[in-house]
Amino acid sequence: MKRRNLLTGLAQTAGLAVAAASVSRVALAALPEAPQQTSADTAPPLVPPTGQPYHPVVTLNGWTCPWRMNNGVKEFHLVAEPVVREMAPGFLVNMWGYNGQSPGPTIEVVEGDRVRLFVTNRLPEHTTMHWHGQRLPAGMDGVGGLTQPQIQPGKTFVYEFVARRPGSFMYHPHADEMTQMAMGMMGLWITHPKGKHPLIAEAQRDYAFLLNAFDVEPGSRTPQVNTMTEFNIWSWNSRVFPGISPLVARQGERVRMRIGNLTMTNHPIHLHGHEFEVTGTDGGPVPKSARWPEVTTDVAVGQMRQVEFIADEPGDWAMHCHKSHHTMGAMGHGVPTMIGVDHRSLVGKIQKVVPDYMVMGERGMADMGEMEMPLPDNTFPMMTGTGPYGPIEMGGMFTTLKVRADLAPGDYKDPGNFRQPPGTQAWEWTGAPAAGGATSGTGSLPPAARQSTPDSTPDSTPATASARKPAGHGGHH
């Protein structure tokens, strides 16, 4: 009892991050449950069962962490542990994360909430937890060696503070960062405003995701943690296209996207078909006088960007990082440019020695979107993903915004492919050739019946990467 009283007094008077250096079996019975999630699907929004009401976020290919109320305090339990993340259908990666996933579950609270977070370490090395962007006592900031001792394997530490301002934040370790963040240890923190806020509009759709990157050698399952710049897997919430869920909105709704960057480079995030405004950062809401319309916003390393727009244009709109190599899968950095080089006459000779050899790159790289390339087991192709009209030739930081007029409020299901209204889709010209060109046929504008209208029924089967695995690679891990 004396030890318990001493720890309680220290936490209350000095605001120490370490309320308990370790937790006994008896005390463990008092810990809140540590919920687990293994599915990589986008979970529905968690409507708050207790505490202050708020409009919940939807974490893209993620979930919100449940909590319990204990004498007016919101209590969460995060467990740092090894996890296996399915980054795309059939592509598995060994990571470190929280509560069964990387990223960990999103923490959602309300401005003014007192929050108590239990962090249990099940990693093979020590860790800490830093609450990126929060205003809190220094002893709760989670910098190992500076503000607290490290959380050793098997130990549980307690962090407690008041969520003092609304906004979009992150959490991640401040211990052996190069290893632990390269292995996927990160998560989102959303603090909702208490009541109406003059700078925060009400949004009908509120999405959140983190930008992260990994270096996974072809045929392997564990990221290279010493990589500094040469990453080959660019992801949103540890998912790559076609494994990233679409963002769905009803026509006319206000949509908010909260984007955090924990990679080692910046990412210009570009949205097709709509203009948006940056309405907030991890420093707080942006004054209205400082906002302007954009279609691309650059999210730098360690930053959060909150963007908002009215989804008033129906269709399936691309959204992606505008660095071209960030929308591709694993690729070699020493591949020569073969455009214009006709080496087909060599193919037969080479294939006698290397049967799987193929011509690639002499007309550009688009052919790779349709090829069944021989790849080692558990290797994500460089270009993959298909749409209603063929290969999309993307892989990595890419997904779609699907806006529909007939979508029910609160419905987040994939509505399937957009049916283009007659006369609104690009078509092949078959009339008179342009000056100096060759005749391609006869005809003019196509009738409405010739417009391509794919089936609008959602496909419940996720797209898979097209890869042919050669024999002899079964030993990769």
Side-chain angles (χ1 to χ4, degrees), residues 62-149:
W63 58 301
T64 289
C65 189
W67 66 87
R68 75 176 182 190
M69 298 299 298
N70 186 358
N71 293 323
V73 180
K74 267 186 180 173
E75 292 187 336
F76 298 83
H77 190 180
L78 295 174
V79 177
E81 60 186 352
V83 303
V84 176
R85 178 67 162 175
E86 185 183 50
M87 299 197 72
F91 178 48
L92 304 176
V93 176
N94 298 325
M95 297 186 184
W96 290 356
Y98 302 95
N99 300 58
Q101 284 283 16
S102 168
T106 298
I107 303 293
E108 289 190 75
V109 300
V110 177
E111 177 187 12
D113 279 350
R114 175 166 284 277
V115 183
R116 183 178 299 132
L117 303 112
F118 298 82
V119 178
T120 297
N121 183 9
R122 292 181 184 161
L123 299 172
E125 68 168 357
H126 64 243
T127 189
T128 66
M129 186 68 86
H130 170 57
W131 312 102
H132 182 111
Q134 299 284 354
R135 287 291 189 105
L136 37 61
M140 298 291 177
D141 196 43
V143 181
L146 177 66
T147 67
Q148 68 164 88

Side-chain angles (χ1 to χ4, degrees), residues 170-304:
M170 301 178 275
Y171 63 83
H172 59 80
H174 243 300
D176 192 12
E177 283 187 59
M178 185 165 181
T179 297
Q180 295 187 10
M181 293 180 68
M183 289 291 289
M185 296 187 69
M186 58 192 69
L188 287 155
W189 176 302
I190 309 299
T191 300
H192 298 278
K194 184 177 181 179
K196 293 196 173 183
H197 192 288
L199 297 178
I200 302 176
E202 181 178 346
Q204 287 72 50
R205 308 271 170 161
D206 198 336
Y207 291 98
F209 58 95
L210 289 171
L211 312 177
N212 47 3
F214 303 91
D215 181 11
V216 183
E217 292 186 358
S220 69
R221 288 181 59 161
T222 302
Q224 299 292 315
V225 299
N226 290 323
T227 297
M228 295 184 183
T229 58
E230 299 292 310
F231 296 93
N232 62 6
I233 303 294
W234 302 95
S235 59
W236 292 353
N237 273 3
S238 301
R239 291 281 282 185
V240 288
F241 183 78
I244 301 176
S245 297
L247 285 74
V248 177
R250 178 184 172 93
Q251 188 175 2
E253 287 183 325
R254 174 174 286 273
V255 178
R256 178 181 293 128
M257 296 188 300
R258 307 169 190 256
I259 307 165
N261 181 7
L262 287 176
T263 73
M264 292 191 183
T265 187
N266 64 307
H267 298 279
I269 302 300
H270 174 57
L271 175 64
H272 293 206
H274 295 78
E275 305 86 27
F276 57 73
E277 290 183 340
V278 175
T279 60
T281 72
D282 34 1
V286 175
K288 293 183 178 179
S289 60
R291 304 175 188 179
W292 61 85
E294 296 259 24
V295 297
T296 305
T297 187
D298 197 38
V299 187
V301 179
Q303 286 186 338
M304 291 287 311

